[in-house]
Amino acid sequence: MQEMVTYRFARYITVQPDKRSRPLEPTEAALDYVWRWMQSHLAILDAFDGQSRLARLSEEQDQFGRLQAAVAHALVGNDTVRRPGPTFDLFTWVNSGGVVMDDLFSRIGAFDPEAERLAIGPVSPSDLSERFIISKTHLKRIFDKAALLGNMGWERSPGRGAVWLSKAFIREYWDYQAEKFALIDRAFEATFPAKAEVATPVLSQRAAALT
């Protein structure tokens, strides 16, 4: 919590209810990031099934607080999201480790889900360290531990050649993303009930003609 205050994602409320408590509130920057996070996930869900969740949220922005709370409770209370697997947990335990993992998986193109390993091409630890503000020491430690688990490695010597990810590691990430999006979808449906469809004049005339 103190880090959130330090990095200005949270601040202490000016008017304190009493001397024993110091309530916090999110800053504008934090709310903006959460809003963008929600928009991006709804846009991805819309791309899957052609619905218009993102447009609905934009139309009814006053419901964002209810949606965010529902999504947060669903994610925090779900074991698949909280503990997808040992290699996934290894990356997310370290600051910026999660975005490094996302970068690795973003390099995957078409692949055989039954293959034991999947090559994702060359990976530069120095580049990742600089881009995601994570020390080379921490990054090397993560990669080494993932290699000991048998879920990540190099085609040649460590740090050289194409990197491969194991089928087990891919499944951890796959299951996490699938469960996360399913929970967001359910929370959205509960927050934004389906609108009643209004019959068009043409359909109304046809109905009258049939009766």
Side-chain angles (χ1 to χ4, degrees):
M1 297 302 294
Q2 188 57 47
E3 282 192 7
M4 292 177 65
V5 175
T6 301
Y7 290 108
R8 300 179 182 178
F9 290 116
R11 64 188 167 215
Y12 291 104
I13 295 175
T14 305
V15 180
Q16 305 293 337
D18 56 62
K19 295 182 179 180
R20 294 175 298 176
S21 61
R22 300 184 67 192
L24 292 167
E25 65 180 1
T27 62
E28 289 74 13
L31 293 172
D32 181 56
Y33 279 121
V34 174
W35 173 259
R36 294 185 189 186
W37 184 92
M38 191 69 74
Q39 284 184 309
S40 64
H41 283 75
L42 295 182
I44 292 171
L45 281 170
D46 289 345
F48 285 148
D49 58 17
Q51 294 192 40
S52 55
R53 301 174 185 82
L54 181 56
R56 183 81 182 273
L57 177 62
S58 298
E59 294 172 359
E60 303 178 44
Q61 295 187 22
D62 58 319
Q63 296 298 315
F64 175 72
R66 292 182 59 232
L67 175 61
Q68 190 279 330
V71 169
H73 281 294
L75 296 179
V76 171
N78 186 277
D79 286 340
T80 301
V81 171
R82 292 175 60 190
R83 291 182 289 271
T87 310
F88 189 105
D89 295 346
L90 176 65
F91 276 84
T92 55
W93 187 253
V94 178
N95 287 342
S96 297
V99 289
V100 169
M101 178 172 58
D102 289 337
D103 180 87
L104 296 178
F105 278 88
S106 72
R107 300 167 189 252
I108 296 177
F111 74 104
D112 177 6
E114 299 303 322
E116 293 301 319
R117 292 182 178 181
L118 175 66
I120 60 173
V123 174
S124 169
S126 297
D127 177 56
L128 292 177
S129 174
E130 183 177 345
R131 287 172 57 200
F132 300 120
I133 316 177
I134 180 173
S135 74
K136 294 181 182 179
T137 302
H138 277 142
L139 197 58
K140 183 179 184 301
R141 186 178 296 117
I142 295 173
F143 286 175
D144 288 347
K145 288 183 177 179
L148 286 175
L149 291 172
N151 287 331
M152 179 181 177
W154 284 261
E155 296 293 349
R156 292 188 289 172
S157 59
R160 295 187 177 184
V163 170
W164 56 263
L165 306 177
S166 73
K167 176 181 177 181
F169 189 15
I170 293 172
R171 175 55 67 178
E172 289 179 21
Y173 192 82
W174 181 329
D175 289 345
Y176 164 81
Q177 294 291 354
E179 188 72 9
K180 178 184 68 173
F181 278 106
L183 293 173
I184 294 172
D185 187 33
R186 292 174 200 159
F188 186 89
E189 288 184 356
T191 307
F192 293 86
K195 292 183 178 180
E197 295 185 3
V198 179
T200 63
V202 174
L203 291 177
S204 299
Q205 290 171 9
R206 288 180 180 175
L210 289 172
T211 54

